[in-house]
Amino acid sequence: MTRTFSLGQAAKSAGQFKIDYEQLLNPRQYDAVKEFQGPILCIAGAGSGKTRTLIYRVARMIESGIDPESILLLTFTRKAARNMLERVTHLIGDEGKQVAGGTYHSFASMILRKYGHHIGIPASFSILDEADSSDIINLIRNELGFNRKESRFPQKKTITQIFSKAQNLEKPITEIVDSFFAQFAEHSKDLCRLNEEFAAYKLKNALLDYDDLLKYLYKLLKESDEARSRITSKYRYIMADEYQDTNSVQARITILLGGISNNIMVVGDDAQSIYSFRGARVGNIIEFPGIFKNCRIIRLERNYRSTGAILDAANSLMEKAGEGFKKNLFTERDKGELPARVKCEDDQEQAMFVAARILELREQGIKLDQMAVLFRSSFHAYQLELELKKRNIPYAKWGGFKFLEAGHLKDIIAHLRVLQNPYDQVSWLRILLLIDGVGTHTATDIFNHLKASPEPFDLNAIKARPKATEGLQKLSKMLTSAARIIQSPPARLLEIVSDYYFPILKARFDDYPRRFKDVDQLALIAEKFERLTDFLADLALEPPRDSVDDVLAPETDENEKLILSTIHSAKGLEWHSVFIISALDGRFPSFSSFKTEADLEEERRLLYVAMTRASENLAISYPSQIWDPATGSLFARPSRFLEEINGTLLENWQITR
DNA sequence: CGAGGGGTTGTTTTT
DNA sequence: CAACCCCTCG
């Protein structure tokens, strides 16, 4: 590997930049941008121009002669990285494209393909998403006979969550079960056993789940001197965004990556930490200066996004925060209108209010895509979705049910996976079960047979019931011919699979026309890739976030859509007008957060994140009561957080019919 | 051994 | 209000 060394850095002086950074940034931002040697912790409040700062920092680095390929930008989603680097490119030209950027997970995936062999990971590993992991766990659970217990064993999805939480928090299974899933305490031992088997299975089949990606990247950096020195000498300028939402493995990775060059900046806001359920530690950001000596701390506290009134209300909410990370966010904008506190009769009335108000704002010239409705959990929006459909208001929903979770798309992907890895047991079982006359037993037999065969796609020698033979032959024929052109663009392979799958789809689902369209949508995504491996790896690392409904919506109407989003998915974004719905104790804060003070505090930060998404208009609404069938209780109290916000900072709205 | 029916779950948030 | 599981029938 060669390393480029540029003399440009010394040659250029401040006056030679194309961009007038000092003019375009406020003094604090400029501080963070102009200095890129040495460690920096940047505490960036909501709407303080954090993204802008990062973009200009990368631009300035490149303008100073730093090799763009030595810059690594770690962000929370890959989309965030992509957008930022596009803007860098826009500012200074194509060099911006050479900067490495992505999530910790995607970075891990890339590095492990290249250097994984140092710790025994083959370059051809596949990535498991949560559903894949569940399926494998289910398989092993059945083999171990744990499903036939007298007392109920947790469901596959729950087990997956338990395992993931254990790895994210780096705690033993038993402890996770005791503290978060006490109802399954009696199965602790079996769960440990299952977890061991699961780990062994992944190892044997070269499968990595999300947690493994991080775990092995850390292991690589820690244990392989050669890999570490190659990686750290390539990436000499590290920036990590949303650092408050990293877990301890990610923090250790960051420290190892930045430890040699010391040129590391982490950016974050402890008041916006909302991912502790998956192991995020606010501690990472707080401990950072202690780990990197001479770390400079830069605070961005001027908010450019929201009106004074919105900011006052948000600050008021955080004043009562149990843990005192005091923020001093200020704005020089006008006060604007007070945020609305809207009491509605019920869920239905709330939906009607939101829809009517949205239409009113639209009359005033605010575009639909400048408005968003935010909620704690995605099912809170069901009623509203009905109302929007009724009134023909186009919307896109983020979070909740994912496009790829639809059964028919999983079927298609399973076929592609088998092509890529003919020994992928879960995918084989899935596609074999689609054939008439094949059940779990036959499918397992077939898999065991072909596992030992040099021609895994040749199913002709298989013994099965007569009813099944025709289907098996078709499958075999399709896979064999697709395998012959396995190097073709994934879109082509997808086409072959779809042609085969359409009759099955038609027979299985009444609503097959709708589902056909989903497949077309998948094909559009596939077109962006040249190799099947890349396509499949990408689907796991960054599943398309649009819901099925959204994909089905006609692509007309100049793309102007209202956004419905979980607060988690709305992180980092902003809209002119924001509605926060179902601010009802039990819904938000969520019933399941009542147990501990820490969980409640996270709900508070979540509301803070939601409120600070709004630039001009904010309305927080709640139905006066809701019957919750899940808990069997009646929620009838407005969110406790609404009570805590200083009453003079909100305006109460009355609904009349 | 597979298919299909009925009863029974348990529901945050996501890379 | 699904998905999921289990059981019985064909």
Side-chain angles (χ1 to χ4, degrees):
Chain A
M1 185 194 286
T2 48
R3 170 170 153 185
T4 48
F5 180 80
S6 169
L7 293 172
Q9 201 169 337
K12 284 184 184 172
S13 65
Q16 287 173 290
F17 295 120
K18 277 195 292 188
I19 298 168
D20 187 350
Y21 295 91
E22 206 165 353
Q23 179 68 39
L24 289 161
L25 300 162
N26 73 31
R28 300 276 187 82
Q29 293 174 333
Y30 182 60
D31 256 0
V33 164
K34 72 168 194 266
E35 197 55 65
F36 19 84
Q37 311 293 336
I40 296 180
L41 167 64
C42 180
I43 301 286
S48 62
K50 176 192 72 174
T51 306
R52 182 182 170 83
T53 304
L54 279 170
I55 290 166
Y56 278 93
R57 190 167 197 258
V58 174
R60 171 106 166 193
M61 282 180 169
I62 298 174
E63 277 212 274
S64 305
I66 287 172
D67 178 3
E69 289 185 15
S70 70
I71 304 173
L72 173 63
L73 178 63
L74 294 167
T75 54
F76 199 69
T77 63
R78 290 207 298 163
K79 204 173 171 188
R82 213 173 321 119
N83 288 345
M84 283 193 215
L85 295 178
E86 260 167 37
R87 285 172 62 184
V88 171
T89 304
H90 191 73
L91 282 177
I92 55 144
D94 280 350
E95 276 177 309
K97 288 181 185 152
Q98 296 165 37
V99 174
T103 59
Y104 279 87
H105 292 89
S106 68
F107 179 65
S109 155
M110 189 262 284
I111 291 292
L112 288 173
R113 289 225 192 266
K114 213 163 163 183
Y115 300 105
H117 61 270
H118 287 286
I119 52 167
I121 293 172
S124 62
F125 67 83
S126 310
I127 299 169
L128 302 173
D129 67 18
E130 207 183 306
D132 301 330
S133 300
S134 296
D135 288 343
I136 293 171
I137 287 170
N138 192 36
L139 204 71
I140 303 171
R141 179 182 59 176
N142 292 342
E143 273 170 20
L144 293 175
F146 289 164
N147 54 334
R148 291 191 160 263
K149 286 271 150 123
E150 322 69 53
S151 64
R152 260 195 31 262
F153 206 70
Q155 288 190 0
K156 59 176 182 176
K157 224 176 151 187
T158 315
I159 304 174
T160 316
Q161 280 168 15
I162 295 173
F163 291 176
S164 178
K165 200 148 192 159
Q167 216 176 115
N168 274 305
L169 298 176
E170 299 181 289
K171 298 251 170 74
I173 302 281
T174 47
E175 204 180 316
I176 298 295
V177 172
D178 287 347
S179 34
F180 301 103
F181 300 88
Q183 69 273 33
F184 300 127
E186 61 180 303
H187 297 298
S188 251
K189 244 183 127 180
D190 287 343
L191 285 167
C192 292
R193 169 86 197 287
L194 185 53
N195 190 36
E196 282 164 22
E197 296 289 333
F198 177 47
Y201 185 98
K202 286 187 291 187
L203 215 58
K204 190 172 141 215
N205 294 289
L207 300 169
L208 270 61
D209 62 27
Y210 294 138
D211 303 322
D212 293 332
L213 285 171
L214 300 179
K215 186 172 91 179
Y216 289 124
L217 172 58
Y218 174 66
K219 189 175 152 111
L220 177 75
L221 289 169
K222 185 115 196 281
E223 292 176 8
S224 166
D225 293 339
E226 191 192 335
R228 185 183 56 250
S229 79
R230 282 187 181 215
I231 295 164
T232 51
S233 59
K234 177 168 169 69
Y235 301 105
R236 280 167 297 132
Y237 296 88
I238 317 278
M239 277 166 273
D241 194 9
E242 308 282 10
Y243 201 64
Q244 77 282 355
D245 284 325
T246 52
N247 65 23
S248 30
V249 186
Q250 287 168 316
R252 292 204 302 270
I253 290 171
T254 314
I255 292 162
L256 283 178
L257 282 175
I260 307 290
S261 68
N262 252 328
N263 300 324
I264 177 158
M265 174 161 103
V266 300
V267 185
D269 178 6
D270 46 56
Q272 294 185 69
S273 166
I274 55 175
Y275 279 91
S276 71
F277 69 92
R278 68 174 212 210
R281 288 183 71 242
V282 184
N284 290 346
I285 203 166
I286 293 167
E287 292 156 12
F288 188 83
I291 294 166
F292 285 90
K293 303 299 169 207
N294 306 322
C295 171
R296 297 194 305 133
I297 301 178
I298 296 174
R299 292 177 179 275
L300 305 182
E301 291 173 323
R302 174 166 173 193
N303 175 298
Y304 290 90
R305 178 184 296 149
S306 309
T307 61
I310 291 171
L311 217 52
D312 288 346
N315 281 335
S316 166
L317 172 70
M318 288 316 273
E319 264 169 32
K320 310 239 172 35
E323 306 160 30
F325 303 118
K326 289 290 171 263
K327 278 277 140 7
N328 191 21
L329 269 190
F330 66 97
T331 180
E332 291 179 9
R333 294 193 49 180
D334 291 342
K335 269 276 176 260
E337 286 174 30
L338 286 181
R341 179 190 203 263
V342 191
K343 178 178 179 173
C344 306
E345 196 57 34
D346 50 20
D347 222 13
Q348 167 77 37
E349 190 176 276
Q350 176 176 257
M352 287 166 68
F353 159 70
V354 172
R357 174 74 176 142
I358 282 168
L359 289 178
E360 185 180 276
L361 287 167
R362 197 180 173 199
E363 286 298 301
Q364 294 168 17
I366 321 261
K367 290 195 155 184
L368 277 182
D369 53 15
Q370 286 299 306
M371 298 186 251
V373 182
L374 306 181
F375 31 83
R376 176 67 182 87
S377 337
S378 64
F379 75 91
H380 296 168
Y382 286 165
Q383 194 70 44
L384 177 64
E385 288 184 65
L386 291 177
E387 188 66 28
L388 294 172
K389 275 180 188 149
K390 207 157 92 188
R391 303 197 191 206
N392 273 324
I393 302 177
Y395 66 89
K397 192 177 177 190
W398 295 347
F401 192 80
K402 301 281 178 350
F403 180 60
L404 291 179
E405 283 166 17
H408 51 296
L409 294 176
K410 281 168 126 183
D411 288 344
I412 298 235
I413 291 164
H415 288 88
L416 293 173
R417 287 202 171 156
V418 160
L419 283 170
Q420 188 209 0
N421 171 14
Y423 304 102
D424 180 334
Q425 187 178 10
V426 171
S427 299
W428 266 116
L429 293 187
R430 183 169 190 110
I431 68 181
L432 288 169
L433 286 173
L434 294 172
I435 295 170
D436 238 14
V438 178
T440 42
H441 218 98
T442 315
T444 313
D445 281 352
I446 296 179
F447 178 73
N448 287 331
H449 178 269
L450 59 85
K451 197 165 61 173
S453 153
E455 291 283 345
F457 300 134
D458 183 3
L459 304 177
N460 292 319
I462 301 278
K463 280 186 298 216
R465 5 182 92 197
K467 198 170 147 196
T469 45
E470 195 198 344
L472 285 173
Q473 270 170 14
K474 278 188 188 155
L475 176 64
S476 175
K477 202 174 147 207
M478 184 278 287
L479 290 175
T480 311
S481 64
R484 230 176 270 135
I485 54 162
I486 190 76
Q487 300 298 339
S488 315
R492 174 76 193 111
L493 298 168
L494 181 69
E495 201 182 315
I496 296 176
V497 171
S498 315
D499 286 346
Y500 160 82
Y501 180 69
F502 275 160
I504 299 175
L505 177 78
K506 215 165 164 175
R508 285 174 74 86
F509 302 102
D510 287 342
D511 55 348
Y512 61 88
R514 299 177 18 151
R515 293 175 190 257
F516 279 154
K517 288 187 193 152
D518 290 349
V519 181
D520 290 343
Q521 195 65 32
L522 189 65
L524 280 181
I525 299 171
E527 272 171 23
K528 293 185 201 137
F529 297 87
E530 283 173 23
R531 288 169 41 217
L532 182 62
T533 323
D534 297 338
F535 176 49
L536 291 176
D538 234 70
L539 286 181
L541 284 172
E542 190 178 40
R545 80 156 145 189
D546 293 338
S547 71
V548 179
D549 276 350
D550 178 47
V551 171
L552 288 173
E555 287 290 328
T556 51
D557 300 343
E558 73 221 31
N559 261 343
E560 192 198 314
K561 280 180 197 156
L562 172 71
I563 299 297
L564 309 192
S565 174
T566 59
I567 297 166
H568 286 90
S569 298
K571 175 152 117 163
L573 302 172
E574 68 173 79
W575 291 273
H576 176 283
S577 300
V578 167
F579 297 81
I580 300 168
I581 60 171
S582 293
L584 190 71
D585 238 49
R587 292 268 224 199
F588 193 4
S590 142
F591 181 79
S592 34
S593 72
F594 289 176
K595 280 172 274 176
T596 72
E597 196 60 32
D599 284 350
L600 271 172
E601 283 305 306
E602 179 144 316
E603 300 282 308
R604 176 197 303 278
R605 294 192 294 269
L606 206 46
L607 181 57
Y608 176 73
V609 169
M611 292 173 75
T612 52
R613 298 309 96 196
S615 60
E616 306 289 331
N617 270 315
L618 176 64
I620 306 177
S621 63
Y622 59 95
S624 60
Q625 58 175 42
I626 261 187
W627 170 251
D628 184 54
T631 54
S633 46
L634 186 73
F635 299 145
R637 189 186 139 197
S639 174
R640 61 192 71 189
F641 301 132
L642 271 178
E643 314 278 300
E644 289 178 19
I645 296 173
N646 182 338
T648 61
L649 300 175
L650 299 172
E651 183 179 49
N652 288 313
W653 286 28
Q654 288 291 316
I655 306 279
T656 54
R657 300 236 183 180

